[in-house]
Amino acid sequence: MPSVNVNFSPEHLTTKDGSAFVASLVDPKVWSGIQLLNYTPLHELKDMSIVRFRGMIQDMQDPEMYLERYEVIKEDSTCRLQEGKYRDCLLLNDGERVNHDAKANVHGERRTFFVISIPGLNDWCQEYESQCSRYNFSKHVKTEVSGGKKRSAPIEDDSMQCETSSEPNADTDVNKRKRTEGQVDESTSVGEVNHSSNTVIGMEYHLNSPIPSRPSKACMIKIYEDFEKYKLNTIVDVIGFLSVNPALDASTMDVDMFDNINEIQAQNPPPSLIPRLHAITVHSLPHPNPLLDERLLWSRDERNSTDLIDDFNMLAAGNEFRNFLKLCLFNDSLSAEYLLSHLISSVYCRAESRCLGRFLLNLFNIPHKNIPQYTKQLYKLLDLLIPASHYITMTADTLNDSTFGPKKDYETNKLVSGMLQLAPQTHLVIDETFTKSETLNSNGILSMQILGHVMKYQQLKCNFQYYEIEYEVDIPILCLSENKSILPYDVFVPIEYDDQSLQVIEESLKAASHYLNATRLNHFRRFLTKAKLAEFSVNPAESEMVQNDFVEMRKNKTIRDADELHHLLVLARLLAVARGKNMLDKESWELAKQMEATRQRRLIEISP
């Protein structure tokens, strides 16, 4: 790992050494030398340290004007210019003040993104990232320590407040924090806040995790350029200056002059809970898998990276993964092939209302009465392989009591997250084996509508009360059920099993777990992500073959319209990619046709 000097203050970033550091960040491997805020306790870091944060953009706040450069009048009436970029507070020594009327003052614009650690990121990913962080840092970075004093709430341009070189009174800060925590109303749910003037917003509302049972860490990222480049729900890796000055906490502000205290509190949470990070550089992540990210390296990678590349083969990994899935699915080869195709699917193109590459799957005919824990056991195995996922039991209580879509809270000017506000390629596994005929309330009906819209269009509706905005998502959805689901999946596959496979399924699941040794785990995790990202094309000869077959299938009434042809092409593409191919060939096309014919026969046989 290249050694990285990160002992820079914001003012020194424009020096020769600082410019060299910024230029070095073009090399992805240099990023591994920057400490990960996700896995480092805040008390081990100094204010204005250079750190990293990886996460999903959950909310975007209004534009903020700040003093990029300002004139400071010293105690002896002489003046100096101070840089304000990458800081929340104005940097002043004792006896100094800002000359707000100076012609040398420069105002800049920045945006604040509320970024949370990737929702649903599975344990193996977190452990890998944490190991990278632990290995790379045996010592803590030492940078400047700056104090702060009580400030007024931000007003338009003058959002940056004074910062002095003197240390704050530690006892005072602790007491304020305790008093604040004492006022939190623990009965307030994650999705709402009591908007009374004397209520302090609770921690869960501040953190705003889409999956409350798996709370995320949060960070407020200050962006200085390319504002339109970033979209809601995308994954970013950010290097910047950490800002944890206690003066940023709303509880330290003079807010009596403001009517809406809730907004001040929501937009200025305690930095000990939600730190600020002033971005030096931002990298958009195409996937959440840390194994394929050059920006995450540790000793084991450096020793074995060559071996892993030499040993890994898409065709071999796909064949072994297919065997693993057969063990999990009653030795049903067809179901294993469809599940494999689903797990490597992703939206690769959008044309009008169509999502090319979407492959939502419903595996049904699961013998839930015989093996009531089967779906949970299957998910636990998939959980070991998929970078990010979430498991939902589809019951009336889940639909009635959960918030599926984000909603704008105008009292706090905050987008309150919903369960389906997930990062790209986060797999959603819906267990319908617990579904009963129960009544849905208005929220339950709304939840079904939001879920149905995500399934059909891969778009998530965000409720802004007076209107809705649709944001693009890429959420592969797998449904496990006894009967065929009523939701609009792309493919419905009845699992086929006999008495013998049913009797030994518990042993088969144990065998599948043992099958996942360290090497196979590594290969399968890489295989699933590499397949999602694989380049694929169709040459003219195969395109003509598909067109001719389409005409014949229309004549034979084995296919009805262009939508069914699109589905068949997607399946053929996934089958080819799973076998290490980057172009459509006759073998994959014929296999897709054969699988679809077998699936259709099963559906006819199982129908009442």
Side-chain angles (χ1 to χ4, degrees):
M1 181 194 73
S3 59
V4 184
N5 177 18
V6 294
N7 293 308
F8 298 104
S9 67
E11 293 73 29
H12 295 143
L13 204 61
T14 56
T15 64
K16 183 178 179 180
D17 289 342
S19 299
F21 165 70
V22 175
S24 72
L25 297 178
V26 175
D27 181 0
K29 294 181 180 179
V30 173
W31 288 56
S32 59
I34 311 295
Q35 200 148 13
L36 269 171
L37 183 57
N38 304 65
Y39 304 100
T40 308
L42 275 178
H43 69 265
E44 295 182 0
L45 297 169
K46 303 293 185 180
D47 192 41
M48 290 294 111
S49 304
I50 294 179
V51 296
R52 293 170 64 188
F53 189 81
R54 293 163 62 88
M56 182 192 80
I57 300 175
Q58 189 276 323
D59 193 8
M60 296 178 170
Q61 297 181 2
D62 296 333
E64 174 189 349
M65 300 301 295
Y66 75 102
L67 281 171
E68 186 173 342
R69 185 180 298 111
Y70 51 93
E71 184 177 285
V72 177
I73 301 177
K74 300 181 181 179
E75 200 167 13
D76 59 3
S77 298
T78 59
C79 298
R80 66 178 178 87
L81 284 179
Q82 174 66 47
E83 296 294 326
K85 193 175 182 180
Y86 305 119
R87 288 188 180 276
D88 288 297
C89 300
L90 301 176
L91 194 60
L92 302 174
N93 296 316
D94 290 335
E96 293 184 335
R97 59 186 176 85
V98 177
N99 182 5
H100 290 284
D101 298 322
K103 293 182 179 180
N105 290 355
V106 177
H107 289 82
E109 179 183 344
R110 59 190 178 195
R111 303 284 177 87
T112 302
F113 295 163
F114 190 84
V115 179
I116 58 176
S117 55
I118 300 173
L121 192 68
N122 286 325
D123 290 344
W124 64 269
C125 289
Q126 295 187 49
E127 178 60 26
Y128 182 87
E129 293 180 359
S130 177
Q131 286 175 336
C132 292
S133 183
R134 288 199 301 268
Y135 165 71
N136 290 329
F137 301 96
S138 56
K139 297 180 180 179
H140 309 311
V141 179
K142 292 184 178 180
T143 55
E144 61 177 301
V145 181
S146 44
K149 61 183 181 181
K150 192 167 182 179
R151 63 193 183 112
S152 61
I155 306 176
E156 297 177 359
D157 294 4
D158 191 19
S159 61
M160 301 176 65
Q161 301 301 323
C162 294
E163 178 179 345
T164 68
S165 58
S166 58
E167 291 287 345
N169 187 313
D171 293 336
T172 303
D173 291 334
V174 170
N175 290 336
K176 285 180 181 175
R177 186 153 49 247
K178 287 182 179 179
R179 286 199 299 271
T180 300
E181 292 171 355
Q183 297 176 48
V184 174
D185 181 3
E186 296 182 355
S187 65
T188 304
S189 68
V190 177
E192 61 182 3
V193 60
N194 185 343
H195 297 303
S196 62
S197 60
N198 59 352
T199 301
V200 174
I201 294 175
M203 181 181 70
E204 289 186 345
Y205 187 87
H206 271 310
L207 291 175
N208 208 10
S209 301
I211 307 173
S213 60
R214 302 169 69 180
S216 302
K217 291 187 176 181
C219 187
M220 296 173 70
I221 308 292
K222 308 273 186 174
I223 304 290
Y224 288 86
E225 58 188 11
D226 299 328
F227 303 134
E228 306 306 321
K229 176 182 175 182
Y230 306 101
K231 297 180 180 179
L232 204 68
N233 305 333
T234 54
I235 314 173
V236 292
D237 193 343
V238 184
I239 292 177
F241 288 102
L242 176 69
S243 179
V244 288
N245 194 310
L248 301 175
D249 189 345
S251 65
T252 69
M253 300 178 186
D254 297 320
V255 296
D256 296 339
M257 59 186 290
F258 291 89
D259 294 330
N260 191 349
I261 298 177
N262 292 303
E263 181 176 352
I264 300 300
Q265 291 175 346
Q267 300 301 314
N268 299 274
S272 57
L273 177 66
I274 302 176
R276 283 61 159 169
L277 189 64
H278 293 262
I280 299 171
T281 185
V282 181
H283 172 68
S284 295
L285 293 168
H287 59 81
N289 190 342
L291 296 180
L292 299 180
D293 192 344
E294 290 183 289
R295 289 165 175 79
L296 289 168
L297 294 172
W298 63 300
S299 57
R300 186 174 65 184
D301 293 304
E302 294 175 1
R303 290 196 306 266
N304 299 336
S305 58
T306 304
D307 295 337
L308 289 170
I309 294 172
D310 292 341
D311 291 346
F312 182 79
N313 177 275
M314 286 291 287
L315 177 60
N319 289 335
E320 287 194 317
F321 189 57
R322 203 171 287 108
N323 292 333
F324 164 75
L325 291 179
K326 283 176 65 178
L327 281 172
C328 300
L329 296 170
F330 305 91
N331 204 35
D332 184 353
S333 300
L334 185 71
S335 296
E337 199 71 70
Y338 273 103
L339 181 54
L340 188 156
S341 298
H342 162 76
L343 292 174
I344 63 174
S345 66
S346 65
V347 176
Y348 59 85
C349 181
R350 296 177 189 266
E352 297 177 353
S353 61
R354 288 185 179 177
C355 298
L356 306 182
R358 186 193 66 197
F359 200 78
L360 311 184
L361 175 63
N362 174 209
L363 289 177
F364 69 101
N365 197 36
I366 291 175
H368 179 66
K369 294 179 181 177
N370 300 83
I371 39 174
Q373 297 301 313
Y374 170 75
T375 51
K376 291 183 178 179
Q377 291 173 312
L378 176 61
Y379 175 73
K380 285 181 179 179
L381 291 171
L382 296 178
D383 181 87
L384 296 173
L385 306 171
I386 302 169
S389 62
H390 184 47
Y391 170 87
I392 298 176
T393 54
M394 186 62 78
T395 63
D397 288 342
T398 301
L399 293 167
N400 291 338
D401 300 338
S402 302
T403 302
F404 273 54
K407 183 178 180 180
K408 184 72 172 183
D409 185 344
Y410 285 100
E411 285 293 319
T412 58
N413 197 26
K414 189 178 181 74
L415 185 66
V416 180
S417 64
M419 190 186 296
L420 296 184
Q421 191 179 9
L422 302 172
Q425 299 181 21
T426 300
H427 284 254
L428 187 65
V429 179
I430 298 177
D431 188 348
E432 288 191 10
T433 59
F434 295 93
T435 304
K436 300 177 182 178
S437 299
E438 296 177 300
T439 304
L440 296 179
N441 59 23
S442 59
N443 186 70
I445 295 171
L446 178 62
S447 298
M448 286 289 286
Q449 291 173 344
I450 293 172
L451 177 60
H453 193 80
V454 168
M455 296 176 71
K456 189 173 182 179
Y457 301 105
Q458 286 293 293
Q459 292 179 333
L460 178 63
K461 289 184 176 181
C462 294
N463 181 2
F464 283 78
Q465 296 187 28
Y466 309 108
Y467 57 93
E468 289 182 332
I469 296 180
E470 296 176 342
Y471 291 95
E472 293 179 354
V473 295
D474 184 5
I475 305 176
I477 302 178
L478 169 66
C479 175
L480 305 171
S481 60
E482 287 186 278
N483 302 311
K484 184 178 177 181
S485 176
I486 62 171
L487 292 171
Y489 291 90
D490 296 308
V491 186
F492 298 88
V493 180
I495 295 179
E496 194 172 74
Y497 54 88
D498 53 26
D499 291 339
Q500 182 180 359
S501 59
L502 184 61
Q503 290 173 3
V504 300
I505 186 61
E506 294 284 355
E507 295 301 319
S508 295
L509 291 173
K510 291 179 182 178
S513 180
H514 290 299
Y515 188 72
L516 293 175
N517 58 33
T519 301
R520 289 196 181 101
L521 276 173
N522 190 293
H523 284 180
F524 291 172
R525 290 165 178 172
R526 292 171 184 268
F527 166 78
L528 290 174
T529 302
K530 280 180 174 287
K532 284 178 178 286
L533 303 175
E535 296 289 336
F536 193 80
S537 60
V538 181
N539 63 35
E542 271 62 42
S543 180
E544 184 178 353
M545 172 190 70
V546 170
Q547 291 176 19
N548 293 337
D549 275 7
F550 179 53
V551 173
E552 288 299 318
M553 287 186 286
R554 285 291 298 269
K555 288 180 181 178
N556 301 331
K557 296 183 178 180
T558 55
I559 198 169
R560 291 173 295 181
D561 52 31
D563 286 338
E564 291 188 2
L565 175 64
H566 164 251
H567 161 70
L568 197 58
L569 279 168
V570 170
L571 177 59
R573 178 184 188 275
L574 295 171
L575 293 172
V577 169
R579 287 157 176 79
K581 302 173 183 178
N582 59 7
M583 294 188 71
L584 181 65
D585 61 355
K586 185 175 179 62
E587 180 186 0
S588 302
W589 175 248
E590 292 296 331
L591 179 58
K593 290 162 56 179
Q594 177 187 338
M595 286 173 54
E596 277 296 278
T598 305
R599 184 179 70 88
Q600 294 295 342
R601 285 197 298 271
R602 281 194 189 183
L603 289 171
I604 293 172
E605 291 170 0
I606 202 170
S607 60

